[in-house]
Amino acid sequence: MASWYRPDPLTRDLIHLINARRHDHGDSELAIEILQALLEQDREHDVLTVLAALDEEMAEWLFDLLAEAACAVLIEGDPDDEPAYAVLGSLELSLQANLDAPVGLKIDPVRTADLLRQCLHVPAGTVVTVEPRLLTDATFDFITLQKLHDHLSSLAGSQRRRSIAARLHPPVESTAFLVFELIGARTSSFPETMRDEDRDALLQGLTDQCPEIALAPNMLDVPVHAAYGMFDAQNAVRLHRLADETAAVWHDLDAPMRSRAIVHLHTQCGNGVYMPVWTDLFDPDLPEDHGPVWTSPDVWVFTADLPIEWPGEMLTNRLLAEGCTRFENHIVEAPDT
């Protein structure tokens, strides 16, 4: 008899919640419980693999729930009381150019918590805590959704607060993230907009503490789940590494070939929000059936709420800075798109 694979209970539950969403009768609270259980079992890669197989609308819906599952934990209490949450948020900030190494990016956590309380209009009774320094994109490259969830769960369980990152790495894209927690919040969500006066006051208060921050109010994102900031940071790191590798190979070519080489930038779309990006180097003097002179490994980036052209634009700008001038941007669509 053939050996049949039977999914484990959590995988079956994940399949059921996706099907329920397709038929417009999904239970968001149950979905978050299932996703939190998967994170607690260190199975976030399983969820990201599922995301890659979904259409864009379904994938972004599931990632919104995954972000909330990683970054919002219900605080245990009297069942008759109003629910209270521990919520992990982040703000994305631009940094000045030419920062010294090692980077400090230190802020006063008490002063910053008061600043967030005022500018975000945090309700009375909610405790605000802040990471004592800004985290860089390269620092976030070492963090997972499970680590974010574990960090927040410990705070929801009244355990001693520990920093999310043990070490700070130099920024890759002149970007840093202010990470903070709201303990005892009455909702697990954040505002989608911020008043201009609050935005300006928050940015001014942060730059007064940390002169490395660039005074760029249009770059101060409203509070989002830290999961979004984490993937944005990891995308930047991975695309810069891909550009570094491509440029290094391009520089190693002999001068005549380098002058005529064409860099093909490949991005995948149409299969949700988790997609591969890769590069090829082509010599137009070689026959078409020769194929590329070199092909990079795939780099996977997370494109929730990002235009599909963004990875190609970022790679183009980086490679132009390295001296490459001939490009073709190929958006590789899935068969059903």
Side-chain angles (χ1 to χ4, degrees), residues 28-71:
S28 294
E29 290 186 6
L30 176 60
I32 289 172
E33 288 180 12
I34 293 168
L35 292 169
Q36 285 178 336
L38 287 163
L39 290 176
E40 288 163 3
Q41 292 185 10
D42 196 16
R43 294 176 60 187
E44 69 180 77
H45 184 74
D46 293 349
V47 184
L48 296 179
T49 301
V50 171
L51 281 168
L54 299 175
D55 63 75
E56 187 171 356
E57 181 182 356
M58 286 290 293
E60 291 201 6
W61 162 79
L62 185 57
F63 182 70
D64 285 341
L65 291 177
L66 183 61
E68 188 169 345
C71 300

Side-chain angles (χ1 to χ4, degrees), residues 5 19 23 61 74 77 81 105 116 145 201 207-208 210 229 232 239 284 292 304 325 327:
Y5 168 72
N19 287 334
H23 294 90
W61 162 79
L74 183 66
D81 292 341
L105 303 182
L116 288 171
L145 291 173
T207 53
D208 289 346
C210 186
D232 285 348
L239 288 176
T325 57
F327 300 95

